[in-house]
Amino acid sequence: MRSPYELPFGAGATTAVRSGLLSKVAGLLAFSMAFTAAGAWLGTQLPGLGLPAIIGVLILSLVLSFARNVPGLNLILLYLLTTLMGIALGGIIEEYLVAGAGVIVVEAGATTAVLSVGLSVYAWTTKRDFSDLGSKLFIAVLGLIAVSIVSIFVQATFLEIIIGLAGSIIFSLYLVYQIQQVKNAEDTLGNAIILSVGIYLSIINIFLSLLRLFTAVQGGGRRS
């Protein structure tokens, strides 16, 4: 079983192909984060849009997996998805600020930034092959979703800690796996878009998992 944001590993790519695809992915991620920031500002002003935004992200994620190679539409879907994700994050952040727990958001954001950079450098430079992780991680995510649903009805701090820690580990491994895909995939805009979305969602989920973990440990804010 594979995630829709997963490309098959090939025999490897030339240095020129890797550099070209990496540049595309880096550029798309930079613009995606800019759209996310704009969406987050809107989300803090209109926190009620959080749930519709999440639903929109889920729908666009599915649509984009099929429209990755449709010129123009693929970019529109990418930036619309990242804007909606920003709106959802803005609503979450606003709740923390209102609760006087903004420091938890800062801690989670800073930790996410350090982890993302460190893991990306490791994935790009290591000789270790993570190509067999894709299907295992996808199954792990499905299990994490199942446990998260259970936590809605069984509210316990230890369960929140387990979910937050497990999510941090799973999506950190996903990030390493996806960065390695950049080294092996064909240099096309469609591949760059699908890899960018996968990396983007991994980073966002690392942040949300850490936010959940830090909230449970420190006992403040809200459950993300």
Side-chain angles (χ1 to χ4, degrees), residues 22-23 47 58 69 79 95 123 161-162 165 187 207 209 223:
L22 178 61
S23 296
L58 295 175
N69 293 314
Y79 295 135
E95 289 190 36
I161 292 175
I162 291 173
L165 182 59
D187 182 11
F207 170 71
S209 296
R223 292 173 58 191

Side-chain angles (χ1 to χ4, degrees), residues 68-131:
R68 65 180 74 179
N69 293 314
V70 181
L73 179 61
N74 49 15
L75 287 174
I76 292 174
L77 292 173
L78 170 64
Y79 295 135
L80 181 57
L81 183 154
T82 53
T83 300
L84 290 177
M85 181 60 78
I87 291 173
L89 288 174
I92 293 173
I93 292 172
E94 179 65 16
E95 289 190 36
Y96 273 88
L97 295 177
V98 170
V103 65
I104 296 179
V105 176
V106 174
E107 291 173 350
T111 306
T112 299
V114 172
L115 270 177
S116 297
V117 173
L119 290 171
S120 296
V121 171
Y122 170 73
W124 192 258
T125 58
T126 184
K127 296 183 182 300
R128 185 173 179 180
D129 183 8
F130 292 93
S131 61

